[in-house]
Amino acid sequence: MRYFVGIDIGSTAIKISIADEDKNLVGHKISASGSMFYKYAQEALAELLRELGIDEKEVVYTVATGYGRKLFKEADENVSEITANAIGAQQAAKSYGNIKTIINIGGQDSKAISLDAEGNVVNFAMNDRCAAGTGKFLDVVAMNLEIGVDELSAYHFKSVGTPLSISSTCAVFAESEIIGLLGNNHSVEDIVSGVHYSIAKRIVKLVKRVGVKENVYFDGGPALNDGLVSAIENELGHKIFVPEYPQITTSYGAAVLACDAFLSESES
Amino acid sequence: MTKNKFTLRRAINNMNLVRFRFWFQIVAFVLIVYGGYVGLDLGDKLPTFACVYNGEGTGGKCYAGMLQHDLKHPIDMFMGYAGYAFLISLGMFMVWFWILNKGWCGFVCPLGTMQDWLTILREKTKIRYSEYSWANRGKIKSIKYILLILLLLLPVMIANSVFGLPKLPNGLSMPFCDICPGRMMIPAFTGHFNQFYIDFSSKTDLVMTTLGMIIVGLFLVGSFVKKRFFCYFCPMAALQHIFSKPALLKLYKDGAKCTKCGDCYRACDMDILEIADDVTSKNLVTEDCTLCLKCVAACPEEGCLEANFAGLSIFESTKEGFILRMAMDQHKENHAH
Amino acid sequence: MHTEHSIETSAERQNRHKAMEAISVLNALKEDFKSPIHSMGYFYDLFEKVYCRHEPLHEGKAKIGTMCIQIPSEIIYALDAVPIRLCNGFYTDDEIGSDLLPQKSCPLVKATVGWFASDNFSDKPDITFSPTTCDQKTKAGTIIESFGHTVIDVGFPRTKESEESRHYWRESVKSFAVKLSKFQGKKLTRSNLESAIKKVGYAQSLYHKLTEFRKNKAVPILGVDMFLVTNAFFFDKIDAWIGAVEKLVAELEQRVSEGVNVAGKASPRIVYTGSPPIFPNYKIPLIIEQSDAIIVADETCSSNRMFNDMVAVDEWNLYDMIDSVSDKYLKACTCPIFTQNDDRIRRIIQLVRSYSADGVIYQAFAGCQVYEMEQRSVLAAMEREGIPTLYIESDYSPSQHGQLTTRVEAFIESLKNRKRMKR
């Protein structure tokens, strides 16, 4: 059996996807990047292979992507996240439909990608300068509200009042705003809802820069947060598709690329 | 803000001026028309209409009559004692006048009072009052001065040959009294309707008494449709205006406080534009003003208009007074909104 | 864990956006200042009810939309309808309107047009009357009609000193009364108009009482709270508003006797004038009061001007009452759409004197031609009188906050310095 590995080395997390010759996802792993992400990446890959019972030699092609891709020398090739994300999205949403717009909210950045009918990237926009509107922001918020990041969604849907808008554009200042709101006895639910809408507004602005076309795909860790998904859908006025494992779309795309690359090489 | 503090000043500023004036006018009317019956005699130099033709009842006589009489002297007599008499009369008139300024018109004059009664009647019948256009109002202003000049000139021309013109017939001796509606209306209130007549005895008398009947007719109809119709043409007003500046009772305006809302103008029976639109002058007793003080009562700005007597503010516009007078001080649940 | 959710409709999204704008201002009013006023709770709740929960207030009654201050509410009340002033303060609606009007237009008009375009009202007007005041409001009428609403133009003169212009406005008002009468199928009678005039007059007298308190050294109520109270009059049930303000007056009397001051001892006293701050666009008044100043008086058509001039009737018959009502809305009006603006200048100076103000803040919307043009004469007059004035332009967008704060704070600090120098 031949397997293809896609490894997405992000600043927050390392995501590994393994695909087979039919480009199906066989297994995946998400682990923290930490400071020595190169070492952790290797360890994570080894562990994943062990879990899946795949021998190292069965891995015939590896593609690295993400922030730390160039440092993963074991890769046969490295590609930009944009490319990998685009391919991963189309593949993951094959049964849903043709993906033309991708929203990605990562740990420390957020992106919007626009694809043409053939699936090529025609435009993209990125916010990589500021933590506002990224996963980091949600982490900070959850910490200030003394709840888990995975609880955010539940709080969002329990909100009955008006979402409290966070006016600060910076995550650091937003933190003090939230503390102020808590101090004035506003409910956690309304604050969470407000935070989600604050992120959603920012993301929708970003996406509109590249153009919103059906179908819209949303990935990245924060996509697990249904509350955030609902907020983005409401701001966009549009249904968005969230895959089963939103964190790994990019690494999956890298794995699919690995498969394509290997097969085209072997044909030539 | 001292809420329920009673002060005399506050009570006066909050008063229902219209009602106060109504009763004041009745008292003044009674004194002038019936005062003679109880021996009241305020003299014959009153700065208000008080008719000599009223006989016993009259409580005084108007200066217009005295003036015509004083001026009907040959010039050489005038240079002598007649002149002194004239100056003394005039002086007396001025002293009377300076007490109330034009307020004689607004609070005392029986002709004014009659016109106000006709206005009340019209209001009850819900008939709309009529107004002059601004252009016309400007044009008619000069009529009272023309009448005043005639009032002064005709008696002189009866006793003297002026600029070589022949002397006027004696039938014109009290030219203004002939045409004054007071001559007919005031005695009517003591039951004497004999002044309503046309005198066919001479051409002069015929003309003058006919004019008089016409004018009294105009007076009645005019003041029914137009508030204080006659006052626009009144030579007494013209005469008073000449001496108005030093008078004791004044109408002062603090233009800085004025919002030009025009409430004063709406209330003014004489349709005096300046009261609303002039925001620089202090003294607003214009030639048509009767000092009825309706403007002060209608002004909603605190301390903008005031009736001032010898430097003391006796009645001024206040927000509270305005609200009370317009009966907007309580919440009435008549209509469910 | 997947939670089922549906996507908002565009109307719901608009409502949520407006609700979020509203709640953030209301929270600022409730939480950012000292010595909160208990009776203001009615108003905070009212705005939350209407702008956050979008609950209708006037079901079963005819709602008459008005586009400016000059449409006589007395006549509307007399004909058993509810006047709703439609001047809009929401950035959300401003953005919608931006696509429909030229880029440099007044945000207030854009917001109003945007609102009509989205046709998303909790209390939808059955008919709207639009006086021909400024260019933008004047032209907005037909644009709004194109969205399927009924808009009737009411001719308003651009001069007010002449006999013709006053006569013109009186005729306009009569014509308005006739049209509304027909629409309502009711007649204007002596009794119903007198009642309406007195009721509105009473409401105005309450405002006068409220504003008198602001002349004190220790001011018991914030300017932003006053703006909220007066804005409520745009759409609230008049009887409920009157009841709430009566309570507010009583509470303020109490506060005055206790010497409660919502500002600091050295807070500069400000007269606010210019384009009307309409909820939730209280950006600048909030910045002013958050920068340790206090707005003691204002000269704006969304607040003071609605209540300052009262109808004065000489003969309580229909002919005189209608003319009195017309005159009230024209003669003392200080809207910058008139050719002459001396009345406005005199009024601002008078307010500065009687409220012992330290400075004037003149705010014009970017795109408001008339207020921008008046800037010269007003500033010159203020300089002659020795009244420090700040002129700022703003619009509805939330992005200017930083620049505006800097300018306002600098001005207020200069006023504080002046005061200290004087001592």
Side-chain angles (χ1 to χ4, degrees):
Chain A
M1 288 293 287
R2 291 186 292 196
Y3 293 100
F4 307 92
V5 168
I7 178 160
D8 176 7
I9 304 177
S11 48
T12 325
I14 299 167
K15 284 84 67 176
I16 310 174
S17 297
I18 302 186
D20 61 19
E21 278 180 54
D22 298 317
K23 298 182 188 170
N24 293 317
L25 185 67
V26 171
H28 72 273
K29 189 170 200 58
I30 305 161
S31 61
S33 298
S35 45
M36 300 199 281
F37 62 82
Y38 171 67
K39 181 166 149 234
Y40 297 150
Q42 286 194 311
E43 285 175 4
L45 180 56
E47 207 181 307
L48 180 59
L49 291 173
R50 233 188 344 265
E51 283 168 17
L52 295 173
I54 298 173
D55 190 71
E56 227 185 64
K57 292 187 201 65
E58 293 179 277
V59 175
V60 293
Y61 209 86
T62 305
V63 169
T65 183
Y67 169 62
R69 64 182 180 276
K70 295 209 168 107
L71 296 168
F72 192 75
K73 300 219 169 45
E74 280 77 358
D76 297 299
E77 199 180 322
N78 67 70
V79 294
S80 77
E81 304 121 271
I82 318 298
T83 315
N85 200 339
I87 292 176
Q90 287 171 87
Q91 195 67 22
K94 236 189 345 201
S95 51
Y96 182 74
N98 230 356
I99 298 295
K100 291 233 188 66
T101 316
I102 300 171
I103 301 173
N104 168 284
I105 300 182
Q108 289 181 7
D109 66 15
S110 43
K111 310 181 201 63
I113 307 171
S114 180
L115 310 174
D116 64 13
E118 279 83 56
N120 302 310
V121 174
V122 290
N123 201 356
F124 102 99
M126 190 158 168
N127 160 37
D128 58 353
R129 226 157 269 153
C130 168
T134 68
K136 186 88 187 121
F137 187 42
L138 286 169
D139 292 342
V140 167
V141 166
M143 184 188 71
N144 280 307
L145 294 173
E146 293 178 2
I147 58 177
V149 175
D150 49 352
E151 295 178 83
L152 288 172
S153 178
Y155 276 94
H156 175 97
F157 289 111
K158 275 193 265 170
S159 161
V160 289
T162 309
L164 299 167
S165 36
I166 312 296
S167 57
S168 312
T169 47
C170 172
V172 176
F173 297 140
E175 190 176 340
S176 40
E177 243 189 282
I178 290 166
I179 292 171
L181 286 170
L182 279 174
N184 282 318
N185 284 318
H186 289 289
S187 71
V188 173
E189 291 83 356
D190 292 342
I191 295 174
V192 169
S193 177
V195 165
H196 286 162
Y197 279 111
S198 168
I199 297 174
K201 266 210 171 98
R202 201 159 296 137
I203 279 294
V204 167
K205 220 168 159 178
L206 189 74
V207 175
K208 284 195 170 151
R209 271 161 58 187
V210 303
V212 181
K213 279 178 270 177
E214 291 250 344
N215 295 297
V216 183
Y217 183 99
F218 179 30
D219 70 277
L224 287 166
N225 180 341
D226 270 342
L228 181 62
V229 172
S230 172
I232 295 177
E233 280 180 337
N234 285 339
E235 281 296 324
L236 204 56
H238 223 274
K239 183 109 191 78
I240 58 183
F241 174 80
V242 179
E244 199 186 343
Y245 304 111
Q247 305 101 307
I248 62 156
T249 302
T250 306
S251 60
Y252 180 42
V256 168
L257 263 169
C259 179
D260 279 337
F262 179 80
L263 291 175
S264 66
E265 247 178 46
S266 53
E267 274 158 29
S268 57
Chain B
M1 189 161 98
T2 48
K3 201 177 173 223
N4 287 309
K5 188 171 166 213
F6 177 83
T7 57
L8 183 63
R9 165 167 238 124
R10 195 156 160 231
I12 292 176
N13 286 339
N14 285 350
M15 77 165 156
N16 184 336
L17 177 93
V18 172
R19 209 184 304 147
F20 170 75
R21 190 165 149 250
F22 177 76
W23 288 107
F24 192 104
Q25 283 178 308
I26 285 181
V27 168
F29 189 87
V30 163
L31 288 175
I32 287 179
V33 178
Y34 304 104
Y37 292 132
V38 292
L40 180 69
D41 184 4
L42 296 168
D44 47 8
K45 297 151 184 86
L46 290 179
T48 180
F49 288 117
C51 202
V52 60
Y53 290 90
N54 194 15
E56 285 185 352
T58 194
K61 301 183 191 70
C62 85
Y63 182 61
M66 191 75 225
L67 187 57
Q68 292 166 90
H69 177 261
D70 280 347
L71 289 172
K72 203 184 68 173
H73 286 95
I75 190 82
D76 47 338
M77 279 182 89
F78 209 72
M79 288 299 156
Y81 87 93
Y84 291 127
F86 168 72
L87 286 173
I88 290 168
S89 295
L90 184 62
M92 201 57 230
F93 163 77
M94 284 160 71
V95 168
W96 272 120
F97 173 64
W98 279 340
I99 300 172
L100 285 183
N101 199 349
K102 294 289 231 71
W104 286 97
C105 304
F107 281 81
V108 181
C109 178
L111 282 183
T113 305
M114 281 182 230
Q115 290 176 88
D116 289 341
W117 290 342
L118 284 169
T119 296
I120 292 172
L121 180 64
R122 175 189 51 74
E123 194 181 333
K124 289 254 165 5
T125 58
K126 302 203 181 138
I127 296 174
R128 199 191 201 299
Y129 55 80
S130 66
E131 288 175 281
Y132 289 111
S133 71
W134 294 6
N136 288 341
R137 206 178 297 154
K139 286 181 203 156
I140 62 174
K141 267 189 205 269
S142 45
I143 293 178
K144 57 176 164 313
Y145 291 102
I146 294 172
L147 286 178
L148 178 65
I149 289 171
L150 286 173
L151 186 154
L152 297 172
L153 198 57
L154 261 54
V156 173
M157 287 177 75
I158 293 170
N160 299 281
S161 165
V162 177
F163 299 123
L165 289 165
K167 288 190 193 171
L168 293 176
N170 208 35
L172 273 174
S173 78
M174 302 285 265
F176 183 69
C177 292
D178 282 338
I179 62 168
C180 176
R183 173 174 65 83
M184 284 144 263
M185 294 301 301
I186 295 177
F189 278 85
T190 50
H192 301 98
F193 295 91
N194 52 353
Q195 292 299 324
F196 288 92
Y197 73 103
I198 295 184
D199 189 354
F200 291 93
S201 50
S202 74
K203 209 157 55 166
T204 323
D205 287 324
L206 176 65
V207 167
M208 294 308 280
T209 49
T210 309
L211 261 177
M213 290 304 289
I214 292 172
I215 285 177
V216 76
L218 281 175
F219 172 85
L220 289 168
V221 173
S223 52
F224 183 79
V225 292
K226 169 84 195 70
K227 293 182 266 187
R228 289 287 182 124
F229 171 78
F230 179 74
C231 301
Y232 283 93
F233 311 107
C234 181
M236 181 73 85
L239 181 64
Q240 289 180 342
H241 183 63
I242 296 168
F243 300 105
S244 175
K245 275 267 167 45
L248 290 171
L249 183 66
K250 283 283 178 31
L251 178 64
Y252 283 150
K253 179 169 177 179
D254 184 352
K257 301 201 170 106
C258 176
T259 58
K260 294 241 205 98
C261 69
D263 289 350
C264 48
Y265 170 71
R266 305 206 82 261
C268 183
D269 290 344
M270 300 300 291
D271 301 330
I272 296 171
L273 268 173
E274 286 84 345
I275 189 67
D277 290 346
D278 184 337
V279 292
T280 44
S281 311
K282 182 177 178 188
N283 177 20
L284 261 304
V285 183
T286 56
E287 64 183 88
D288 286 326
C289 180
T290 62
L291 265 176
C292 67
L293 303 181
K294 281 179 80 180
C295 53
V296 182
C299 175
E301 298 299 323
E302 195 87 16
C304 182
L305 285 171
E306 74 175 42
N308 185 301
F309 189 83
L312 186 70
S313 163
I314 55 172
F315 177 58
E316 65 175 0
S317 59
T318 55
K319 266 189 201 174
E320 191 186 4
F322 175 86
I323 290 167
L324 282 169
R325 286 186 280 265
M326 290 293 154
M328 289 171 180
D329 56 316
Q330 346 152 18
H331 192 192
K332 294 186 188 112
E333 296 284 353
N334 344 11
H335 294 265
H337 273 288
Chain C
M1 178 131 19
H2 220 52
T3 319
E4 279 308 312
H5 57 266
S6 54
I7 304 180
E8 283 175 340
T9 60
S10 64
E12 284 169 335
R13 177 169 58 252
Q14 184 190 14
N15 283 347
R16 176 176 53 78
H17 283 167
K18 288 168 82 161
M20 287 171 79
E21 279 188 71
I23 200 84
S24 98
V25 172
L26 288 172
N27 286 339
L29 287 172
K30 284 193 253 191
E31 294 153 9
D32 290 357
F33 302 97
K34 60 172 181 165
S35 313
I37 300 174
H38 180 73
S39 334
M40 283 302 296
Y42 167 83
F43 296 98
Y44 300 141
D45 290 340
L46 174 72
F47 275 84
E48 198 172 331
K49 182 173 169 182
V50 172
Y51 287 122
C52 296
R53 299 198 296 276
H54 305 284
E55 289 173 20
L57 283 180
H58 304 287
E59 279 180 329
K61 284 216 96 121
K63 295 169 271 285
I64 311 299
T66 64
M67 288 284 283
C68 260
I69 193 178
Q70 290 91 349
I71 301 292
S73 52
E74 290 88 350
I75 294 178
I76 298 176
Y77 282 121
L79 290 169
D80 200 26
V82 175
I84 300 196
R85 175 105 168 257
L86 295 169
C87 299
N88 187 310
F90 284 93
Y91 179 55
T92 308
D93 291 334
D94 175 25
E95 286 201 295
I96 299 172
S98 292
D99 296 331
L100 304 161
L101 288 178
Q103 208 223 2
K104 293 190 196 143
S105 306
C106 158
L108 197 161
V109 178
K110 279 195 283 176
T112 309
V113 169
W115 194 13
F116 271 103
S118 60
D119 200 12
N120 186 2
F121 295 88
S122 51
D123 277 306
K124 182 172 166 165
D126 302 306
I127 187 172
T128 300
F129 288 93
S130 175
T132 53
T133 47
C134 63
D135 281 354
Q136 303 190 42
K137 281 265 171 91
T138 302
K139 299 285 303 173
T142 38
I143 297 179
I144 291 169
E145 275 205 305
S146 69
F147 304 135
H149 302 276
T150 314
V151 179
I152 311 281
D153 294 322
V154 178
F156 192 75
R158 299 299 286 258
T159 57
K160 56 174 176 150
E161 294 75 19
S162 65
E163 194 179 14
E164 317 85 72
S165 63
R166 292 172 181 188
H167 187 69
Y168 171 57
W169 176 238
R170 282 184 179 179
E171 292 302 307
S172 261
V173 170
K174 287 197 193 108
S175 159
F176 155 74
V178 166
K179 288 185 185 133
L180 185 60
S181 223
K182 262 199 205 117
F183 179 77
Q184 280 290 88
K186 294 200 163 77
K187 282 204 85 163
L188 209 56
T189 67
R190 181 177 183 274
S191 145
N192 61 30
L193 187 55
E194 181 174 346
S195 268
I197 289 175
K198 291 195 171 153
K199 182 176 284 214
V200 173
Y202 179 61
Q204 291 180 303
S205 75
L206 288 174
Y207 170 84
H208 280 286
K209 283 208 179 117
L210 274 184
T211 201
E212 277 297 308
F213 293 127
R214 299 159 89 191
K215 287 183 177 165
N216 299 354
K217 262 191 118 176
V219 183
I221 185 168
L222 288 167
V224 281
D225 276 338
M226 283 300 291
F227 281 140
L228 198 73
V229 170
T230 49
N231 265 181
F233 199 73
F234 278 19
F235 58 83
D236 196 9
K237 297 194 184 86
I238 190 170
D239 290 317
W241 190 93
I242 285 173
V245 177
E246 281 170 338
K247 294 202 182 84
L248 182 60
V249 169
E251 188 176 345
L252 289 185
E253 267 169 18
Q254 178 69 19
R255 283 162 75 94
V256 165
S257 67
E258 291 165 3
V260 175
N261 190 353
V262 291
K265 281 221 176 86
S267 298
R269 298 163 71 95
I270 305 286
V271 168
Y272 187 95
T273 180
S275 305
I278 296 178
F279 184 86
N281 182 36
Y282 286 173
K283 248 200 322 272
I284 293 180
L286 274 172
I287 291 173
I288 293 171
E289 296 196 317
Q290 283 162 343
S291 308
D292 195 29
I294 176 106
I295 297 173
V296 289
D298 72 275
E299 226 292 286
T300 59
C301 62
S302 59
S303 187
N304 181 289
R305 302 276 355 143
M306 292 198 296
F307 297 93
N308 192 64
D309 312 309
M310 299 172 68
V311 174
V313 182
D314 190 37
E315 297 183 3
W316 289 92
N317 286 322
L318 204 56
Y319 53 80
D320 205 38
M321 287 194 273
I322 292 189
D323 280 348
S324 303
V325 168
S326 316
D327 285 355
K328 163 199 163 177
Y329 286 99
L330 174 69
K331 287 177 162 182
C333 184
T334 55
C335 183
I337 58 111
F338 291 118
T339 51
Q340 317 268 10
N341 78 338
D342 320 315
D343 286 345
R344 181 156 171 250
I345 290 174
R346 287 180 322 104
R347 174 92 185 126
I348 296 173
I349 293 171
Q350 182 59 22
L351 283 173
V352 169
R353 303 277 176 247
S354 50
Y355 284 82
S356 318
D358 302 304
V360 169
I361 292 186
Y362 178 166
Q363 187 278 139
F365 288 143
C368 175
Q369 185 75 1
V370 282
Y371 268 122
E372 287 172 336
M373 283 179 86
E374 275 201 357
Q375 181 215 124
R376 275 194 77 197
S377 58
V378 173
L379 260 49
M382 295 298 122
E383 205 174 310
R384 276 196 298 275
E385 295 290 321
I387 300 170
T389 311
L390 171 70
Y391 173 75
I392 30 177
E393 275 180 26
S394 75
D395 59 21
Y396 283 8
S397 69
S399 59
Q400 306 171 295
H401 203 265
Q403 305 161 9
L404 294 170
T405 310
T406 314
R407 291 201 65 195
V408 171
E409 278 179 353
F411 178 66
I412 289 170
E413 275 154 32
S414 76
L415 291 178
K416 279 188 180 160
N417 271 334
R418 270 176 170 245
K419 264 178 131 167
R420 281 192 211 113
M421 294 300 164
K422 272 193 194 149
R423 293 204 202 113

